[in-house]
Amino acid sequence: MTELSLLHGPLHAALLVAVVLGTGVLLLRRGRPWWTRRVPVAAAGALLLVAAVWLLLDVTHPWPDPLPLDAYAWIGVGLLAPVLLAVGWAGRRWWVRVLGAGAALLVVLGAADGVDAVYGSFPTLATALQLPMPDEVDARTVLDAAVPAAAAAPAGLPAGPLAQTWHPPQDLPAHGAVTQVAIPGTRSGFTARPAWIYLPPAYLTAHRPLLPVLVLIGGQPGSPRDWLDGGRLAQRMDDFAAAHAGLAPVVVMPDALGGEVADPLCTDSALGHADTYLAQDVVDWVDHDLQVDQDTAHWAVGGLSYGGTCALQLAVAHPTLFPTFYDASGQQGPTLGDPQRTAQAAFGGDAAALAAVDPLQELRGRVYPGSAGYLVVGTQDPGYAAQQRTVAAAATAAGMAITATQLPGRHEWKVWGDGLTDALPWLAHRTGLTS
């Protein structure tokens, strides 16, 4: 039951039907005053609440991008139900009140599923409830005890793609594993939530190869687990590994925010030292706690939306550490909505300090002959598509090898997850995994 889809299929359809039936139950009441007075009052109240939500988001800017209209429509449906319940509460029998409360709850749940369907963040009931994942293991079982590592290129053979020298052993598992770990902000002082790690089947063998590393960053608002939930990261990596003798990158999903709606702009500022955390603390932890290829020429960084912007920033600021990046629907630079607000919050109003960490500015002043990026954006995401073109042009002019593509969809997981699947062969080649 927990694996039932919330985006399509019988549970999703049932929730949509529940919205219609629940709203019908809440409206079902005879009498002219009900239809001419109370129902219009309820509708006006719901509209005012939606307007209040819009104003709150517009004033507080918890994230730079506005919600799409269909998200607001579903929020309005969800708010209308309790308002109808409230205006029709007086004078009703107890069982009618119970029936109305149940109907309102069903409408709210269905509306929540409607909002979820806009982005696809929680594709199943299990992800919505944040239940343990089927391939989740205790970190101590895979990280504490080191095992003999097979050389990436055996002695006597020329160095080359790992797939050419790797021979899958008999103990190769069919699937990889995910685990949650704490990566402290030792140097940065950054207060990060626990990170998630994906370990491919080859890593779980008795003589593991030295695999490349992909640091993958989520969006804002969000959490490090989002790539596993909305992005189905483990399934995508397992599919790739199944076609490559158990080989896939080790994927590290750190917290680049410090909170669900925090926005430290992926740089070092008054909002937090996110750059130092990602480029030093996370890297140090990977070097110390994971048996991986420590040649950062075989490392990559990627992300979606905020995480895509962050991947671009890290690749531009630290090209020897992250010479390869995947940018899914990222912006062209760090922002809290407008330059003045961003500079004020992060650098006390110092516009020059903000410009110094703007990747477009950095690209104008350096060359990056060894760097490459894979950019993806939705065909129905015009604002981000325009920014993708700007980034692609600037990166290409700075010497980067850029692949830019568009996929059907909006600013949603359908684009970001499928984009990563499409980019995996490119990433595997860039990181020395395959030819």
Side-chain angles (χ1 to χ4, degrees):
M1 288 292 292
T2 59
E3 292 305 315
L4 287 174
S5 174
L6 291 172
L7 306 180
H8 51 77
L11 180 57
H12 177 65
L15 287 169
L16 294 182
V17 171
V19 171
V20 176
L21 294 180
T23 304
V25 169
L26 291 167
L27 287 171
L28 188 61
R29 183 166 179 170
R30 297 179 181 179
R32 183 180 179 85
W34 168 250
W35 290 104
T36 59
R37 297 178 185 176
R38 296 192 181 185
V39 170
V41 166
L47 284 174
L48 286 173
L49 289 173
V50 171
V53 171
W54 177 80
L55 285 172
L56 178 64
L57 296 180
D58 188 58
V59 170
T60 62
H61 283 284
W63 47 85
D65 305 308
L67 291 179
L69 291 178
D70 46 356
Y72 278 114
W74 281 113
I75 291 172
V77 170
L79 291 172
L80 177 61
V83 175
L84 280 172
L85 180 67
V87 299
W89 189 263
R92 305 290 274 177
R93 296 181 179 180
W94 69 268
W95 62 269
V96 177
R97 291 179 175 179
V98 171
L99 180 62
L105 177 61
L106 288 176
V107 173
V108 169
L109 291 175
D113 184 54
V115 174
D116 180 42
V118 173
Y119 296 102
S121 299
F122 302 105
T124 65
L125 191 60
T127 57
L129 297 175
Q130 293 291 276
L131 299 178
M133 285 165 278
D135 50 359
E136 183 177 348
V137 298
D138 190 309
R140 291 171 295 181
T141 65
V142 290
L143 299 182
D144 283 358
V147 302
L157 292 178
L162 180 57
Q164 293 182 359
T165 59
W166 165 251
H167 302 287
Q170 293 184 346
D171 67 337
L172 182 72
H175 303 283
V178 297
T179 190
Q180 193 176 30
V181 299
I183 302 181
T186 306
R187 299 190 187 188
S188 63
F190 190 75
T191 303
R193 294 167 292 176
W196 284 89
I197 313 292
Y198 167 81
L199 302 170
Y203 191 96
L204 305 176
T205 60
H207 289 79
R208 61 180 58 126
L210 298 179
L211 296 166
V213 175
L214 170 61
V215 177
L216 206 52
I217 300 167
Q220 190 271 345
S223 79
R225 178 171 159 159
D226 288 350
W227 268 109
L228 294 168
D229 291 337
R232 300 189 296 111
L233 186 279
Q235 295 94 317
R236 295 180 191 278
M237 288 295 170
D238 278 351
D239 290 344
F240 183 87
H244 295 84
L247 296 175
V250 169
V251 185
V252 180
M253 292 158 275
D255 180 20
L257 297 175
E260 185 74 20
V261 297
D263 190 346
L265 301 173
C266 197
T267 191
D268 290 348
S269 73
L271 300 174
H273 288 195
D275 178 87
T276 299
Y277 177 71
L278 295 169
Q280 296 186 37
D281 292 326
V282 171
V283 171
D284 290 346
W285 184 91
V286 171
D287 283 341
H288 182 268
D289 288 77
L290 295 176
Q291 285 181 293
V292 295
D293 187 345
Q294 295 190 347
D295 181 359
T296 56
H298 297 155
W299 284 35
V301 62
L304 67 100
S305 194
Y306 169 91
T309 313
C310 190
L312 171 66
Q313 291 174 245
L314 290 168
V316 170
H318 310 283
T320 59
L321 183 58
F322 298 115
T324 302
F325 71 98
Y326 168 71
D327 178 355
S329 304
Q331 294 174 305
Q332 63 191 38
T335 180
L336 296 176
D338 63 74
Q340 293 75 24
R341 175 185 172 87
T342 305
Q344 184 60 46
F347 301 106
D350 188 346
L354 176 61
V357 297
D358 183 339
L360 295 183
Q361 296 288 344
E362 294 179 83
L363 286 168
R364 293 189 185 103
R366 299 174 63 179
V367 292
Y368 298 80
S371 295
Y374 192 106
L375 314 181
V376 63
V377 72
T379 55
Q380 297 170 275
D381 197 4
Y384 282 83
Q387 294 187 73
Q388 183 203 67
R389 291 190 292 270
T390 300
V391 169
T396 300
M400 290 187 176
I402 297 297
T403 299
T405 185
Q406 294 189 2
L407 293 177
R410 301 185 298 178
H411 205 68
E412 58 182 314
W413 275 107
K414 177 184 176 183
V415 172
W416 307 324
D418 289 351
L420 179 62
T421 296
D422 292 347
L424 276 177
W426 176 85
L427 283 166
H429 172 71
R430 283 283 305 175
T431 58
L433 196 61
T434 61
S435 58

